[in-house]
Amino acid sequence: MRSKSKKITLGLCLIVLTACLLCGCSGNPKNFTVGTMTITLTDTFKESKMSGFDAYFVSDDVSFSVKTENASDLDYAKEICSLNGISTDKLVQRNNYYYFSNTQTVSGAKYTYLHCMLKEGNNYWICEFVCKHRSYESLEKSMLQWADSITFDQQ
């Protein structure tokens, strides 16, 4: 009898797990606006504060920060690579932005950063996604989709 009960419990757990995966328990799309920029993240992100950034949003797995810089061309993106010790051949163009990733250890924990640079008018928007290094492979696709969702209001 116990074996049958365990099988039923295991079956129910698998059904719930499958439903969560299919329904996207990771959150529903939610727009966040910073100045003239809007990004679609999920409702699992909450606004927070971090010194030196125009905006900072956190979820359980990923943080997202935004900073604007006045710049005239793509040389700024190359400068960001240089400051992070990243070869500019790691700079990838995707849609309307450039990005690169790098891994750093902070206070003993390993994190991977996905830096995206978008130009709007005379400004560069530096958008940075950060997650634990061990989660990067599973989160990279979502982070790039979020970056793809960035739009700017025309003023």
Side-chain angles (χ1 to χ4, degrees):
M1 242 343 154
R2 249 181 223 199
S3 175
K4 186 176 182 179
S5 173
K6 286 182 181 181
K7 286 181 183 179
I8 290 172
T9 303
L10 180 60
L12 288 173
C13 287
L14 288 174
I15 290 171
V16 169
L17 179 60
T18 302
C20 284
L21 290 172
L22 293 175
C23 295
C25 286
S26 60
N28 297 309
K30 181 178 177 182
N31 289 338
F32 294 89
T33 300
V34 179
T36 59
M37 185 202 84
T38 299
I39 184 170
T40 303
L41 298 169
T42 67
D43 58 4
T44 61
F45 281 84
K46 304 296 178 215
E47 189 167 4
S48 190
K49 298 225 182 270
M50 180 175 273
S51 178
F53 292 94
D54 298 335
Y56 181 65
F57 303 95
V58 294
S59 73
D60 289 339
D61 301 317
V62 179
S63 68
F64 172 72
S65 58
V66 180
K67 181 170 150 175
T68 55
E69 295 285 347
N70 192 340
S72 59
D73 58 18
L74 182 60
D75 287 338
Y76 188 75
K78 291 178 181 177
E79 184 179 324
I80 295 292
C81 285
S82 176
L83 289 172
N84 285 283
I86 302 295
S87 170
T88 55
D89 64 350
K90 302 275 187 204
L91 194 59
V92 178
Q93 184 172 5
R94 179 181 168 107
N95 300 328
N96 63 334
Y97 61 94
Y98 289 86
Y99 76 93
F100 69 93
S101 63
N102 68 314
T103 300
Q104 297 178 7
T105 301
V106 178
S107 300
K110 204 171 188 180
Y111 294 94
T112 298
Y113 297 74
L114 181 69
H115 308 267
C116 302
M117 282 120 339
L118 301 95
K119 188 170 191 305
E120 176 62 22
N122 290 330
N123 294 319
Y124 265 97
W125 292 72
I126 295 86
C127 302
E128 184 178 84
F129 297 94
V130 182
C131 66
K132 289 186 178 176
H133 178 68
R134 69 176 179 266
S135 304
Y136 182 75
E137 271 190 45
S138 64
L139 293 169
E140 181 184 32
K141 183 178 177 183
S142 293
M143 291 187 286
L144 288 170
Q145 287 174 338
W146 293 329
D148 291 346
S149 77
I150 294 173
T151 59
F152 293 94
D153 291 336
Q154 301 302 315
Q155 292 185 339

